[in-house]
């Protein structure tokens, strides 16, 4: 895999996106794929914990905090209300090699695999989103017009993700020039 390729997992809360990611990532890594993930959160979240220096720095008013060690580093950036980072800007921050799997950002214009669970009682996303290139579901969609795989067919889902992921440049162009 040359350069960074991008695909999303989209679906309603409770559909099993994170559960699928936890199964999909080790399978892809086992195939030699470098995997990066980008997760959208609908609420405030914290990476640092009470009593840690990074929390003290943020609470003191730092707008950015980088924590670094010999094994990893993380950057926390505070943004004003309503100034959520754009998907294109976040994708640019990733190492430009391997596969980026975007969880969430379901309304954005990148290729996505819909994760659908019938027990959610919600309507599927794919009839209204042409950027959904496949479906992982616990029920069939015979008229979907795109591949439908069972949620437990993680190997098949990995094949589909690798086949349908798009080059970063194409994704950025579509996100920035809809």
């Amino acid at each position: 895999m040359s350069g960074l390729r991008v695909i999303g997992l989209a679906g309603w809360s409770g559909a099993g996106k994170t559960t699928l990611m936890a199964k999909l990532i080790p399978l892809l890594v086992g195939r030699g794929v470098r995997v990066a993930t980008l997760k959208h959160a609908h609420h405030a979240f914290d990476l640092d914990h009470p009593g840690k220096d990074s929390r003290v720095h943020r609470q003191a008013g730092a707008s950015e905090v980088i924590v670094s060690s010999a094994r990893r580093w993380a950057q926390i950036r505070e943004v004003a209300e309503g100034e959520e980072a754009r998907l294109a800007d976040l994708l640019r921050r990733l190492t430009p090699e391997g596969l980026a799997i975007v969880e969430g950002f379901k309304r954005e214009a990148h290729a996505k695999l819909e994760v659908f669970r019938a027990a959610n009682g919600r309507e599927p996303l794919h009839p209204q989103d042409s950027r959904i290139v496949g479906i992982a579901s616990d029920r069939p969609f015979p008229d979907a017009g795109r591949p439908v795989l069972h949620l437990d067919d993680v190997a098949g889902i990995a094949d589909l993700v690798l086949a349908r992921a798009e080059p970063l440049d194409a994704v950025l162009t579509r996100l920035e020039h809809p």
Side-chain angles (χ1 to χ4, degrees):
M1 185 174 286
S2 177
L4 184 65
R5 297 179 62 81
V6 179
I7 193 155
L9 293 186
W12 300 109
S13 179
K17 296 180 300 293
T18 302
T19 300
L20 179 57
M21 286 278 261
K23 295 175 184 176
L24 188 58
I25 293 168
L27 188 86
L28 291 166
V29 169
R31 293 182 182 185
V33 178
R34 182 186 184 284
V35 177
T37 65
L38 202 158
K39 165 78 172 121
H40 184 258
H42 292 284
H43 46 75
F45 65 92
D46 269 322
L47 298 177
D48 51 358
H49 302 285
K52 295 295 183 182
D53 292 349
S54 57
R55 164 83 48 100
V56 172
H57 297 181
R58 277 194 320 120
Q59 288 179 328
S63 59
E64 290 187 68
V65 176
I66 294 178
V67 181
S68 178
S69 75
R71 296 193 52 138
R72 69 184 56 94
W73 68 272
Q75 180 178 14
I76 303 167
R77 179 178 290 177
E78 295 293 320
V79 295
E81 188 69 33
E83 290 185 17
E84 183 173 355
R86 296 176 326 127
L87 178 57
D89 297 332
L90 296 171
L91 287 169
R92 280 192 181 88
R93 295 183 149 285
L94 297 175
T95 301
E97 189 64 40
L99 176 69
I101 304 174
V102 178
E103 183 180 339
F105 290 97
K106 67 179 168 254
R107 303 284 181 227
E108 296 289 342
H110 59 293
K112 298 174 278 276
L113 175 77
E114 178 174 3
V115 180
F116 182 87
R117 189 173 302 280
N120 265 358
R122 305 287 304 259
E123 291 297 315
L125 300 171
H126 66 271
Q128 286 77 43
D129 188 346
S130 63
R131 298 304 310 154
I132 292 177
V133 297
I135 304 161
S137 178
D138 59 355
R139 68 164 264 212
F141 286 100
D143 299 324
R146 57 206 93 187
V148 180
L149 300 165
H150 194 276
L151 279 167
D152 293 330
D153 183 5
V154 181
I157 293 168
D159 292 341
L160 181 62
V161 160
L162 290 171
R164 299 298 174 96
E166 299 176 307
L168 176 62
D169 290 343
V171 174
L172 292 175
T173 297
R174 195 174 318 103
L175 290 172
E176 293 175 329
H177 307 288

